[in-house]
Amino acid sequence: MLTKPKKKQVSTIGLGLIGGSLAMALKDVGFKSVIGISASNKTEQTAKDRGIIDQVASSVAKAVKDSDLVFICTPIAAIESVFRQIAPRLKEGCIVTDVASTKEGVVKLAEKILPTTVSFIGGHPMAGKEKSGIEHAEKELFKDCTWCLVPTSLTSNESLVQLKEILVLLAAKPIILDAATHDKAVASISHLPFLLSAILVNTVSSQPYWDTAAKLAASGFKDVSRLAGGNVRMHTEICQTNRVNILAILDEFLRVADELKQILKSNDQRQLSDCIEKAKRERDKLYSLAENS
Ligand code: NAP
């Protein structure tokens, strides 16, 4: 168990946007020893040179062997291999967590591969940006962000409390939910918005008048297309690992889009204005709630 969290050793496996930002944030709140490892020497060297981590480990197994807390911040596809490498080397009582954007698959793998002598809690910070890599890492990335925590059959109550306390130190807002609920919720609030952004760009950029339209692109197009400029590998992995939930919400989206299309076809001004008004009401409610919380 982590008794005095800041005095303990933390490992960050993967030092990109999320792992690099996390290492910075942990050091910023006073963690004494942050060990990191990434896929490339270049990223590891940058992390060391910029003081983002204290030490580079020579292997994933060595990165975790004396650590009390391990954050896995790699692409989703690398997590199974990381679990297999760390499983025999984890210290008894160690807390292991991850940051992957989808949770059901990761939780199943953890329960299958990790030893029962450690506590695994699935994690997902609802923070990020369109740029990836350590060069875009920043220590404030998790400030005020909701951080999903997904308890598993390997989670002890004490470790959950400790991890929550650590996230609060980083100014994040931990929220506890199960993997299935998480994946369904992010399909609609995160993955659908990304797909709509990509569909928008692909639709309008393939029109014969795109050159002219592009010259007229102002803040509205920039806002709605922002997500389409994100990390290709990450979004591909997200669509693959949350395919079923994404397909369900895409069907719903197509139904609502078709309703709007029928309203436009019938040229019913009242229905059109009701539809636009409903969306405005829901959005205003969401953001005024967020601002007042
Ligand atoms: P990223 O900037 O591309 O960083 C990924 C890092 O993982 C890179 O530093 C890469 O190393 C490293 N890596 C790859 N394979 C590895 C391996 N086998 N062992 C050790 N390190 C390895 O991506 P990211 O945005 O930080 O995303 C990381 C995770 O966070 C993903 O699971 C993603 O789903 C999740 N997430 C992302 C966001 C977001 O908005 N970006 C938000 C929440 C959660 P090199 O740099 O050396 O190549």
Side-chain angles (χ1 to χ4, degrees), residues 13-19 37-40 43 73-76 78 99-101 124-125 127-129 132-133 231 234:
I13 301 173
L15 293 165
L17 174 68
I18 301 293
I37 183 160
S38 211
S40 69
T43 298
C73 305
T74 64
I76 301 171
V99 295
S101 305
H124 177 205
K129 46 182 160 172
S132 54
N231 182 331
M234 180 182 79

Side-chain angles (χ1 to χ4, degrees), residues 250-276 278-279:
L250 254 184
D251 274 344
E252 235 346 73
F253 167 77
L254 292 172
R255 187 187 63 74
V256 175
D258 196 55
E259 263 175 27
L260 181 57
K261 187 175 159 191
Q262 298 312 324
I263 291 171
L264 273 173
K265 268 190 178 167
S266 65
N267 207 9
D268 184 328
Q269 200 183 327
R270 175 69 185 271
Q271 273 192 313
L272 182 60
S273 142
D274 283 353
C275 173
I276 294 169
K278 179 170 182 270

Side-chain angles (χ1 to χ4, degrees), residues 9 92 110 139 191 194 196 203 215 232 245-246 255 270-271 285-286 290:
Q9 182 173 301
E92 195 174 327
K139 68 178 186 199
H191 308 162
F194 163 73
L196 299 190
T203 305
K215 288 186 192 132
V232 172
N245 290 315
I246 291 174
R255 187 187 63 74
R270 175 69 185 271
Q271 273 192 313
K285 201 160 71 187
L286 174 66

Side-chain angles (χ1 to χ4, degrees), residues 64-240:
V64 301
K65 79 179 178 48
D66 296 317
S67 286
D68 305 279
L69 176 60
V70 173
F71 285 95
I72 300 172
C73 305
T74 64
I76 301 171
I79 294 180
E80 178 169 5
S81 155
V82 169
F83 280 160
R84 291 197 188 283
Q85 292 172 73
I86 64 175
R89 304 299 289 270
L90 289 165
K91 221 167 98 167
E92 195 174 327
C94 169
I95 298 176
V96 182
T97 185
D98 73 303
V99 295
S101 305
T102 55
K103 297 268 61 88
E104 279 193 273
V106 173
V107 166
K108 276 194 195 126
L109 286 172
E111 289 177 334
K112 191 169 97 181
I113 301 170
L114 298 182
T116 52
T117 49
V118 306
S119 186
F120 177 79
I121 305 160
H124 177 205
M126 301 304 295
K129 46 182 160 172
E130 280 60 69
K131 309 285 182 202
S132 54
I134 196 163
E135 54 282 26
H136 300 287
E138 50 179 270
K139 68 178 186 199
E140 303 265 290
L141 191 67
F142 309 111
K143 191 167 182 287
D144 294 328
C145 99
T146 300
W147 195 304
C148 303
L149 289 179
V150 176
T152 70
S153 61
L154 292 176
T155 302
S156 70
N157 286 339
E158 305 95 283
S159 66
L160 190 57
V161 170
Q162 297 233 7
L163 185 55
K164 275 169 71 180
E165 282 171 7
I166 290 164
L167 299 180
V168 169
L169 279 178
L170 306 186
K173 297 176 180 165
I175 166 179
I176 295 180
L177 68 179
D178 64 81
T181 307
H182 169 276
D183 286 3
K184 196 172 281 219
V186 290
S188 60
I189 211 69
S190 175
H191 308 162
L192 180 66
F194 163 73
L195 286 177
L196 299 190
S197 185
I199 291 167
L200 169 75
V201 175
N202 286 345
T203 305
V204 300
S205 65
S206 60
Q207 301 309 309
Y209 49 81
W210 169 237
D211 285 353
T212 307
K215 288 186 192 132
L216 311 185
S219 60
F221 188 80
K222 195 172 182 185
D223 286 349
V224 185
S225 66
R226 182 174 64 82
L227 297 172
N231 182 331
V232 172
R233 176 176 181 173
M234 180 182 79
H235 287 297
T236 308
E237 283 189 334
I238 286 173
C239 290
Q240 285 172 327

